[in-house]
């Protein structure tokens, strides 16, 4: 197990450098520079432009800029946003908890419902339920998120008034951000009303963000379960007289979980970095929207380091998933 | 930490009804986060709304809903006969905000005014180099060259000396980048080595005191009890950030906010039908136009430019892109809400035969291709760039001109248009200070033709002389006469197809009172309340 973890860790270093090089190069390949974008149609005389570029250190040759960037990274300095003059780490750490809270809620929703629906559909293969689940999941997978979010808002929030339209908490509550996780902060503030209000605000965005992962997880669980249920050891387990629930959940689901775990691991990356639309619809102050705006503003430090931070997290999640494979299926950790 | 549980809020609301005072927070849904709170470092309208209009004041202000300049921190001013010296007499007893991070020991005075301008003007000023990108608005308005000196005469008098006569100077002084900071607070921050706090914990004299900012979520303010125009009627103001205009409208309908800024023009009819909502609207200080590159072959010939103008169906364009009633067809380079608009000029009727004849006369072969640069995403002055470009393509095809539409990202388009790579470019402009010079000099002057921001690359000496003279005059009648002549030359020479002036809208609940939509595209809530 140790050498398995060491090999996986060894792969992280080149990945890390690859990411820094890619983000550094890609953002600079987009036409326009931060000073030009900031000034829009306004007058920028060449002298002022040159001065601003010099102040930002963008007049140096590209390799020197890259070395500066890596040098700063080595000292743990993520730089400051060109647009807001705020440190990238401060911005990231103030926005990331919102994205993580939403992603976790969405994953919980998608994971529980997806697994259940997938297992039942596999057990009742060919039934109306199976066709229904698969049809709905196909629709969910192809759902345009923006439209789906707005439809849910119009129906549940505006027509029925059951859920709030957007935001993380009612503006009447003034909760001091201690951890950045609204559910935790409301509890730390000892305000149960605010906690339930925050939970209430989480429902629709979690459903919208979780829709595609739900569809993917349900379909993957179903097909994986179907495969496993055909295996000899399941027949043996049944023949041994084990209870149907033990056969399905202990012998069947555990083995069927490996491809599902892979998908969940990949979905975490998608959820963290891809929540842009959901964050936009629900005015959710997360990192997806932050990065998109930074790209538009050519805010090099935010784009480079924001993506790097997310990439590190995705790598970490996948690393954990790799390790979990090892636990779920010992054959994997013994492979060389 | 301040908590306001729901029950307490309801109780407070009931209490306020009982005593007849509005204690409800005013929640305004806006489209983006402020970039920061050190106003002079930034240029966007959302930052001006969240910072300049709430926390700060300037020597002069725009009268709400107009472009008229009125006294603010300066009670009055004198202008010397040569128009080069402006002496401002400051209002006495104006207090800077008292917060948990700053307690002012004195009232606003001349030191604060001098500090606010010297910081941007003087490269040796200790705060000058602390801005990593300089002072973009101050610099782009040419204030570095315009201001010779800013001096304190006494505690309540400040003298500005200019290098040239500049009629829009008072309007410029009322703009966000001329906000007055507390020099005392700045000194304290510098001594405590906390200069960055100027951008996070702002102190001003404005109607609202900054409380808390959660990026991309909300900015919270409370009313300034010492505000020199009297405490604002709304006890607290919350700017709720909702990027998408559909979402802002849904939030307004659900009463999660009482004012929704920048609604989609398409939604205006339905908002007007909703009995709980109302709309405030105004002709915006914007112009959408197509600049024709007069340095290119064929386009240098005024007959070609005239032919393109009369071949294009502007009314259909405006209706298709903006929706009926959401914009007016433009004739001149700036809208009629500004000084000196020439009402005598009109658009010539659409005439395809005449257009063909003009093109033939100019020797443009049938099937000649012109490039048209346009942006990929819509903006206020061009909601649907691709549709607009296609309409132009279809219209010009009727007179034998092919249009090669080049759709590109905003930054890329600006860069290439500044380099003059286009035959035609679809562009727009939103005015800053309500002065015609703010339209004409940046977009049509000879200097702008040299640096490329005059996308038509059009330099007419007579036109230039007229706008230079008008800029140096203070008398509005004299300026009007000069601008009218300048517009006549512009129309005769046709460097642009002037397309549209947009209307701007703010949607709100019917119980909102005291809000004035501003032609300057800023939003001020000092007199706004929820009844």
């Amino acid at each position: 197990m140790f050498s398995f973890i060491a090999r996986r860790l060894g792969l992280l270093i080149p990945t890390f450098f690859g990411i820094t090089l890619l983000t550094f190069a890609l953002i600079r390949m987009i036409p326009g520079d931060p000073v030009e974008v900031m000034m829009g149609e306004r007058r920028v005389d060449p002298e002022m432009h040159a001065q601003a570029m010099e102040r930002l250190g963008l007049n140096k040759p590209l390799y020197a800029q890259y070395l500066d960037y890596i040098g700063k990274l080595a000292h743990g300095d993520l730089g400051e946003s060109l647009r807001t003059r705020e440190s990238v780490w401060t911005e990231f750490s103030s926005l990331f908890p919102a994205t993580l809270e939403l992603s976790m809620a969405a994953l919980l929703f998608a994971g529980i419902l997806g697994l259940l629906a997938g297992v039942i559909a596999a057990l009742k293969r060919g039934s109306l339920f199976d066709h229904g689940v698969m049809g709905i999941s196909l629709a969910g997978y192809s759902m345009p998120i923006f439209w789906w979010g707005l439809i849910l808002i119009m129906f549940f929030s505006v027509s029925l008034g059951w859920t709030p339209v957007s935001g993380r908490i009612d503006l009447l509550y003034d909760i001091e951000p201690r951890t950045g996780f609204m559910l935790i902060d409301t509890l730390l503030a000892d305000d149960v009303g605010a906690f339930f209000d925050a939970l209430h605000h989480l429902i629709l965005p979690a459903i919208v963000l979780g829709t595609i992962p739900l569809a993917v997880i349900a379909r993957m669980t179903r097909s994986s379960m179907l495969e496993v249920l055909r295996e000899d050891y399941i027949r043996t387990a049944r023949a041994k007289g084990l209870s149907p629930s033990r056969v399905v959940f202990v012998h069947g689901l555990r083995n069927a979980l490996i491809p599902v775990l892979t998908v969940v691991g990949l979905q975490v990356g998608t959820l963290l970095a891809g929540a842009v639309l959901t964050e936009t619809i629900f005015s959710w102050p997360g990192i997806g929207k932050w990065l998109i705006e930074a790209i538009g503003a050519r805010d090099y430090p935010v784009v480079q380091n924001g993506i790097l931070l997310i990439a590190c997290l995705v790598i970490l999640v996948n690393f954990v998933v790799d390790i979990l494979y090892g636990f779920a299926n010992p054959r994997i950790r013994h492979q060389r | 930490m301040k908590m306001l549980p729901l029950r307490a809020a309801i109780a407070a609301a009931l209490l306020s009804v009982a005593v007849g005072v509005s204690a409800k927070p005013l929640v305004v849904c806006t489209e983006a986060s402020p970039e920061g709170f050190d106003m002079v470092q930034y240029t966007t309208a959302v930052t001006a709304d969240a910072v300049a209009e709430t926390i700060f004041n300037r020597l002069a202000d725009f009268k709400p809903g107009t472009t008229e300049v009125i006294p603010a921190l300066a009670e009055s001013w004198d202008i010397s006969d040569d128009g080069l010296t402006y002496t401002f007499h400051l209002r006495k007893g104006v207090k800077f905000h008292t917060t948990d991070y700053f307690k002012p020991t004195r009232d606003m005075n001349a030191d604060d005014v001098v500090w606010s301008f010297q910081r941007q003007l003087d490269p040796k000023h200790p705060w000058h180099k602390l801005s990593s990108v300089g002072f973009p608005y101050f610099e782009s308005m040419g204030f570095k060259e315009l201001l010779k000196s800013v001096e304190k005469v006494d505690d309540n008098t400040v003298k500005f000396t200019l290098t040239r006569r500049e009629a829009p100077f008072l309007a410029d002084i009322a703009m966000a980048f001329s906000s007055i900071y507390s020099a005392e607070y700045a000194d304290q921050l510098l001594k405590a080595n906390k200069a960055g706090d100027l951008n996070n914990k702002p102190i001003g004299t404005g109607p609202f005191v900054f409380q808390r900012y959660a990026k991309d979520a909300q900015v919270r303010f409370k009313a300034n009890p010492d505000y020199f125009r009297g405490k604002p009627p709304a006890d607290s103001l919350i700017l709720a950030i909702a990027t998408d205009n559909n979402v802002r409208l849904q939030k307004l309908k659900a009463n999660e906010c009482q004012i929704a800024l920048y609604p989609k023009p398409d939604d205006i009819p339905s908002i007007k039908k909703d009995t709980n909502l109302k709309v405030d609207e105004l002709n915006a200080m914007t112009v959408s136009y197509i600049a024709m590159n007069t340095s290119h072959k064929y386009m240098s010939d005024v007959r070609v430019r005239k032919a393109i103008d009369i071949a294009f169906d502007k009314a259909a364009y405006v209706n298709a892109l903006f929706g009926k009633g959401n914009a007016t067809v433009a004739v001149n380079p700036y809208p009629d809400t500004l000084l000196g608009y020439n009402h005598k000029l009109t658009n010539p009727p659409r005439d395809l035969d005449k257009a063909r004849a003009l093109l033939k006369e100019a020797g443009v072969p049938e099937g000649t291709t012109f490039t048209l640069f346009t942006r990929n995403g819509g903006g206020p002055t061009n909601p649907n760039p691709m549709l607009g470009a296609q309409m132009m393509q279809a219209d010009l095809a009727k007179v034998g001109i092919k249009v090669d539409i080049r759709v590109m990202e905003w930054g890329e388009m600006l860069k290439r248009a500044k380099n003059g790579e286009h035959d035609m470019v679809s562009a727009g402009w939103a005015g800053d200070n309500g002065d015609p010079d703010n339209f004409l000099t940046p977009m049509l002057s000879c200097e702008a033709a040299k640096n490329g921001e005059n996308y038509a690359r059009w330099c007419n000496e007579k036109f230039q002389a007229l706008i230079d003279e008008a800029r140096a005059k203070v008398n509005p009648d004299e300026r009007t006469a000069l601008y009218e002549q300048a517009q006549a030359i512009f129309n005769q020479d046709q460097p642009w197809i002037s397309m549209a002036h947009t209307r701007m809208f703010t949607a709100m609940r019917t119980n909102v009172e005291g809000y004035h939509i501003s032609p300057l595209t800023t939003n001020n809530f000092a007199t706004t309340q929820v009844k």
Side-chain angles (χ1 to χ4, degrees):
Chain A
M1 193 69 187
F2 177 76
S3 68
F4 170 74
I5 293 178
R7 259 183 291 133
R8 286 285 185 269
L9 272 175
L11 275 175
L12 295 188
I13 297 162
T15 315
F16 178 85
F17 275 103
I19 293 163
T20 60
L21 200 61
L22 257 181
T23 48
F24 180 88
L26 285 177
I27 183 70
R28 280 169 177 75
M29 278 159 73
I30 310 178
D33 62 56
V35 178
E36 260 174 30
V37 172
M38 183 177 65
M39 298 309 290
E41 280 163 310
R42 239 171 275 285
R43 194 150 53 101
V44 201
D45 64 62
E47 192 192 338
M48 182 193 147
H49 183 266
Q51 276 174 7
M53 292 294 275
E54 194 182 329
R55 266 188 295 233
L56 298 173
L58 298 174
N59 58 335
K60 296 182 191 168
L62 279 183
Y63 74 88
Q65 288 183 41
Y66 181 72
L67 289 178
D68 274 359
Y69 165 49
I70 293 293
K72 279 186 180 171
L73 265 188
H75 290 90
D77 179 2
L78 298 178
E80 65 174 40
S81 159
L82 304 180
R83 202 160 54 110
T84 63
R85 330 281 185 260
E86 192 65 73
S87 101
V88 174
W89 175 249
T90 309
E91 292 203 339
F92 179 83
S93 54
S94 75
L95 298 172
F96 183 67
T99 299
L100 193 60
E101 195 170 61
L102 174 59
S103 303
M104 289 302 109
L107 201 63
L108 208 66
F109 161 76
I112 294 175
L113 232 62
L115 274 179
L116 264 178
V119 170
I120 298 174
L123 293 176
K124 303 192 170 208
R125 189 183 177 192
S127 69
L128 196 63
F129 180 85
D130 181 24
H131 290 306
V133 165
M134 287 308 103
I136 292 171
S137 71
L138 184 65
Y141 190 69
S142 359
M143 192 74 81
I145 289 296
F146 215 88
W147 177 86
W148 177 227
L150 278 177
I151 289 290
L152 290 184
I153 287 178
M154 282 179 192
F155 187 65
F156 288 107
S157 308
V158 180
S159 297
L160 298 175
W162 288 358
T163 53
V165 175
S166 72
R168 292 181 77 191
I169 192 164
D170 194 301
L171 293 167
L172 283 175
Y173 295 101
D174 187 8
I175 301 292
E176 190 184 20
R178 291 190 194 174
T179 63
F181 295 92
M182 196 54 89
L183 294 178
I184 299 175
D185 285 343
T186 48
L187 289 178
L188 288 177
D190 208 10
D191 193 333
V192 180
F195 172 79
F196 283 108
D197 189 72
L199 204 60
H200 202 190
H201 276 77
L202 201 53
I203 297 172
L204 278 195
I207 291 177
V208 169
L209 185 61
T211 300
I212 291 177
L214 167 67
V216 175
I217 292 171
R219 294 177 77 83
M220 186 50 88
T221 310
R222 177 184 176 272
S223 66
S224 178
M225 271 303 273
L226 282 177
E227 227 169 82
V228 169
L229 290 177
R230 274 190 233 114
E231 296 285 342
D232 292 345
Y233 59 83
I234 296 289
R235 202 180 321 125
T236 313
R238 281 201 180 115
K240 275 165 70 186
L242 293 182
S243 71
S245 63
R246 197 173 162 76
V247 172
V248 170
F249 290 105
V250 178
H251 294 266
L253 188 59
R254 188 174 169 193
N255 285 298
L257 268 184
I258 293 178
V260 178
L261 264 181
T262 313
V263 168
V264 171
L266 292 173
Q267 290 297 324
V268 171
T270 316
L271 286 174
L272 288 179
V276 186
L277 289 178
T278 314
E279 286 176 1
T280 305
I281 306 167
F282 291 97
S283 312
W284 200 268
I287 47 172
K289 228 167 73 178
W290 175 62
L291 277 178
I292 292 289
E293 279 171 18
I295 292 171
R298 309 289 186 276
D299 196 338
Y300 297 159
V302 169
V303 176
Q304 284 163 197
N305 293 313
I307 291 177
L308 185 67
L309 286 167
I310 295 172
C312 287
L313 278 162
V314 173
I315 291 172
L316 192 75
V317 169
N318 282 291
F319 177 69
V320 172
V321 169
D322 276 355
I323 308 284
L324 283 180
Y325 286 162
F327 282 109
N329 186 348
R331 276 173 303 179
I332 290 177
R333 67 172 174 247
H334 296 310
Q335 278 167 12
R336 295 274 159 185
Chain B
M1 185 189 65
K2 194 184 140 204
M3 278 195 315
L4 192 54
L6 191 57
R7 261 175 305 176
I10 293 168
L14 290 174
L15 196 66
S16 71
V17 171
V19 295
V21 182
S22 167
K24 291 175 195 165
L26 172 65
V27 184
V28 177
C29 281
T30 183
E31 66 175 354
S33 292
E35 297 151 292
F37 291 88
D38 183 9
M39 187 65 233
V40 298
Q41 293 196 45
Y42 307 107
T43 56
T44 61
V46 275
T47 304
D49 284 355
V51 183
E53 296 295 323
T54 50
I55 301 163
F56 288 100
N57 288 112
R58 287 141 294 280
L59 293 174
D61 261 344
F62 293 106
K63 189 176 170 186
T66 73
T67 55
E68 186 188 333
V69 177
I70 56 168
L73 293 181
E75 257 175 344
S76 62
W77 46 80
D78 311 314
I79 307 171
S80 64
D81 290 340
D82 61 4
L84 294 178
T85 310
Y86 286 68
T87 308
F88 291 92
H89 306 286
L90 304 185
R91 195 179 292 273
K92 288 175 191 145
V94 175
K95 308 243 178 288
F96 278 104
H97 300 157
T98 299
T99 62
D100 52 3
Y101 50 88
F102 178 65
K103 312 258 179 297
T105 61
R106 60 166 177 79
D107 290 348
M108 186 272 307
N109 68 23
D111 292 330
D112 302 311
V113 179
V114 172
W115 187 92
S116 304
F117 284 92
Q118 284 297 351
R119 174 194 180 195
Q120 303 186 71
L121 185 63
D122 178 8
K124 292 188 198 106
H125 194 278
W127 282 86
H128 186 84
K129 59 179 181 299
L130 293 176
S131 170
S132 53
V133 287
F135 303 94
Y137 222 124
F138 183 87
E139 288 161 15
S140 75
M141 292 295 285
F143 260 49
K144 263 188 165 171
E145 299 78 40
L146 177 68
L147 287 185
K148 192 170 171 190
S149 65
V150 182
E151 296 158 289
K152 172 180 174 176
V153 177
D154 60 46
D155 265 1
N156 296 303
T157 317
V158 184
K159 190 172 84 179
F160 286 69
T161 310
L162 311 188
T163 53
R164 58 169 194 269
R165 288 170 74 104
E166 177 87 353
F169 180 67
L170 281 175
D172 295 344
I173 284 291
M175 290 170 66
F177 74 88
S178 301
S179 293
I180 303 301
Y181 288 62
S182 163
E184 186 190 4
Y185 179 51
D187 286 347
Q188 277 186 19
L189 290 180
L190 212 55
K191 274 181 201 145
N193 205 14
K194 285 184 177 171
D197 278 5
L198 197 69
N199 197 24
N200 300 320
K201 295 176 173 176
I203 291 289
T205 55
F208 292 97
V209 182
F210 174 78
Q211 276 190 295
R212 192 200 297 287
Y213 166 52
K215 189 172 167 55
D216 288 344
Q218 50 169 293
V219 196
R220 301 180 87 98
F221 306 90
K222 64 174 196 284
N224 175 7
D226 303 319
Y227 187 47
F228 70 89
R229 289 191 174 113
K231 183 178 177 264
D235 275 348
S236 56
L237 168 69
I238 301 172
L239 298 180
I241 295 141
T243 319
D244 184 62
N245 46 21
N246 293 306
V247 175
R248 286 199 295 278
L249 178 58
Q250 299 309 327
K251 279 176 86 77
L252 183 71
K253 285 184 176 172
N255 200 19
E256 286 183 21
C257 50
Q258 288 79 49
I259 297 182
L261 302 177
Y262 319 113
K264 220 168 35 179
D266 292 352
D267 289 332
I268 298 302
S270 74
I271 298 173
K272 284 180 175 167
K273 275 185 206 150
D274 191 323
T275 51
N276 293 317
L277 307 180
K278 62 180 179 182
V279 175
D280 201 359
E281 56 187 290
L282 194 72
N283 267 334
M285 290 198 315
T286 63
V287 62
S288 321
Y289 63 95
I290 288 177
M292 293 174 278
N293 189 341
T294 57
S295 69
H296 275 197
K297 194 182 174 191
Y298 299 130
M299 284 292 180
S300 58
D301 190 327
V302 66
R303 289 171 297 187
V304 177
R305 304 197 295 266
K306 289 268 179 214
I308 293 174
D309 184 56
I310 56 175
F312 186 51
D313 189 346
K314 286 195 208 179
Y317 170 89
V318 170
N319 276 341
L321 262 73
F322 296 91
K324 220 177 161 86
N326 294 331
T328 50
V329 176
V331 178
N332 291 324
Y334 63 80
D336 61 357
T337 39
L338 268 60
L339 179 84
Y341 181 88
N342 191 333
H343 290 275
K344 285 175 221 137
L345 299 171
T346 51
N347 278 322
R350 189 167 181 235
D351 189 339
L352 296 178
D353 292 334
K354 194 174 167 193
R356 272 189 220 101
L358 280 170
L359 288 169
K360 199 172 171 188
E361 212 179 293
V364 181
E366 182 92 14
T368 300
T369 303
F370 289 128
T371 55
L372 171 62
F373 286 13
T374 195
R375 60 199 285 187
N376 52 359
T381 56
N382 191 352
N384 192 341
M386 195 59 203
L387 175 65
Q390 284 165 344
M391 290 180 81
M392 167 143 250
Q393 191 179 44
D395 280 353
L396 294 195
K398 289 174 192 155
V399 293
I401 298 286
K402 283 185 187 156
V403 173
D404 174 12
I405 301 173
R406 305 267 178 91
V407 182
M408 51 194 97
E409 189 270 339
W410 182 228
E412 169 76 354
M413 189 190 90
L414 293 181
K415 192 173 187 172
R416 293 176 65 168
K418 278 178 193 167
N419 288 340
E421 294 172 26
H422 59 290
D423 290 320
M424 296 184 282
V425 59
S426 174
W429 182 261
D432 299 304
N433 60 3
D435 197 280
D437 184 64
N438 184 244
F439 279 74
L440 303 180
T441 295
M443 290 187 291
L444 290 161
S445 64
C446 291
E447 196 196 327
K450 272 185 225 146
N451 68 28
E453 272 131 30
N454 174 344
Y455 300 134
R457 307 204 144 213
W458 174 72
C459 171
N460 181 304
E461 280 167 18
K462 263 164 100 185
F463 177 88
Q464 184 66 45
L466 285 166
I467 63 169
D468 282 345
E469 197 183 340
R471 187 173 48 229
K473 293 239 187 278
V474 180
N475 181 321
D477 294 336
E478 285 176 292
R479 296 187 77 204
T480 298
L482 294 166
Y483 283 131
E484 283 182 350
Q485 290 176 53
Q487 286 162 80
I489 293 174
F490 166 86
N491 269 33
Q492 212 177 7
D493 238 14
Q494 197 89 50
W496 294 358
I497 308 173
S498 308
M499 306 286 255
H501 304 299
T502 49
R503 276 183 84 69
M504 49 191 285
F505 305 92
T506 297
M508 65 200 92
R509 308 280 305 176
T510 42
N511 58 352
V512 171
E513 286 182 6
Y515 171 83
H516 305 279
I517 191 166
S518 162
L520 297 140
T521 65
T522 49
N523 294 283
N524 185 301
F525 308 103
T527 56
T528 311
Q529 63 180 319
V530 185
K531 280 280 182 186

